[in-house]
Amino acid sequence: MKFCSNCGSGALEQKIPAGDNRLRKVCGNCGVIHYENPKVVAGCLPVWEDKVLLCRRAIEPGYGLWNVPSGYLENGESVSEGARREVWEEAAAKVELHYLISLYNIERINQVYLQFVGELLDGAFGVGEESLECALFTEAEIPWDDIAFTSSVFTLRRFFANRRSGEQKLHLASYPAVD
Ligand SMILES: [Zn+2]
């Protein structure tokens, strides 16, 4: 962004606004401060009986790798709505959200992942537009070497740990914590 989206004409300059302590993009014309903040990625691990649903990505980054359905939250949408929408877009499936399992920070690229565990309604799913295929996996069948993102590895590992201990625990971490 080079020009101000507020007044449409002002050039943006980097400066520290009064009362602030960080460099911001400030419009030289109307004075509006254009804050830049991290993005929220909402997702859900759909569960059916003793299996979890993963989607193989048809888009970059991570083309061809398996992932927990997730994507950027849209304006005007709650995190829960975003998580359900992503499951629909990637797996053509509906879920009932059960609990929030992970809050995963990737400070380096300014992203915060919030992922739920949800029950697949009637065990039904298809293949969404952003996926090459979708499939159910038991814990032993998870293709650990072909998982797209560390956030997904984190959520999967914590899900199976939660299930073993009979808990619905929320887990917090920062990249790359995938143990
Ligand atoms: Zn302006």
Side-chain angles (χ1 to χ4, degrees):
M1 193 161 74
K2 218 171 151 193
F3 291 97
C4 177
S5 57
N6 184 53
C7 67
S9 61
L12 300 180
E13 9 183 311
Q14 291 276 352
K15 60 177 180 187
I16 300 176
D20 204 339
N21 55 11
R22 287 171 192 264
L23 278 174
R24 310 284 183 190
K25 286 177 181 158
V26 181
C27 176
N29 180 44
C30 73
V32 156
I33 304 166
H34 296 271
Y35 292 97
E36 291 175 316
N37 300 98
K39 287 194 160 137
V40 173
V41 180
C44 173
L45 178 65
V47 177
W48 181 248
E49 295 171 345
D50 65 336
K51 297 180 175 179
V52 297
L53 184 71
L54 298 177
C55 299
R56 205 151 75 83
R57 290 172 63 81
I59 49 173
E60 293 291 356
Y63 181 95
L65 299 176
W66 294 92
N67 195 34
V68 173
S70 309
Y72 288 121
L73 194 63
E74 300 285 359
N75 288 342
E77 186 177 60
S78 72
V79 176
S80 308
E81 287 165 349
R84 282 194 295 264
R85 174 181 54 74
E86 288 295 336
V87 172
W88 178 252
E89 288 176 1
E90 295 185 22
K94 302 215 167 178
V95 279
E96 182 192 326
L97 299 183
H98 281 183
Y99 68 99
L100 188 65
I101 187 166
S102 62
L103 192 173
Y104 190 79
N105 299 281
I106 310 181
E107 293 91 333
R108 185 173 53 83
I109 52 171
N110 305 312
Q111 290 182 350
V112 179
Y113 279 74
L114 291 166
Q115 293 179 319
F116 293 86
V117 170
E119 170 98 9
L120 203 54
L121 296 186
D122 303 321
F125 65 93
V127 182
E129 282 191 359
E130 297 173 0
S131 304
L132 298 170
E133 60 178 311
C134 299
L136 289 166
F137 296 88
T138 63
E139 182 174 10
E141 293 165 345
I142 300 282
W144 292 108
D145 293 337
D146 294 313
I147 302 293
F149 306 116
T150 59
S151 53
S152 291
V153 174
F154 180 74
T155 289
L156 283 165
R157 293 218 188 276
R158 295 305 185 272
F159 168 73
F160 292 116
N162 271 3
R163 200 172 63 174
R164 270 190 290 280
S165 62
E167 293 175 297
Q168 298 198 339
K169 215 167 118 183
L170 170 65
H171 298 270
L172 283 72
S174 285
Y175 176 85
V178 295
D179 60 306

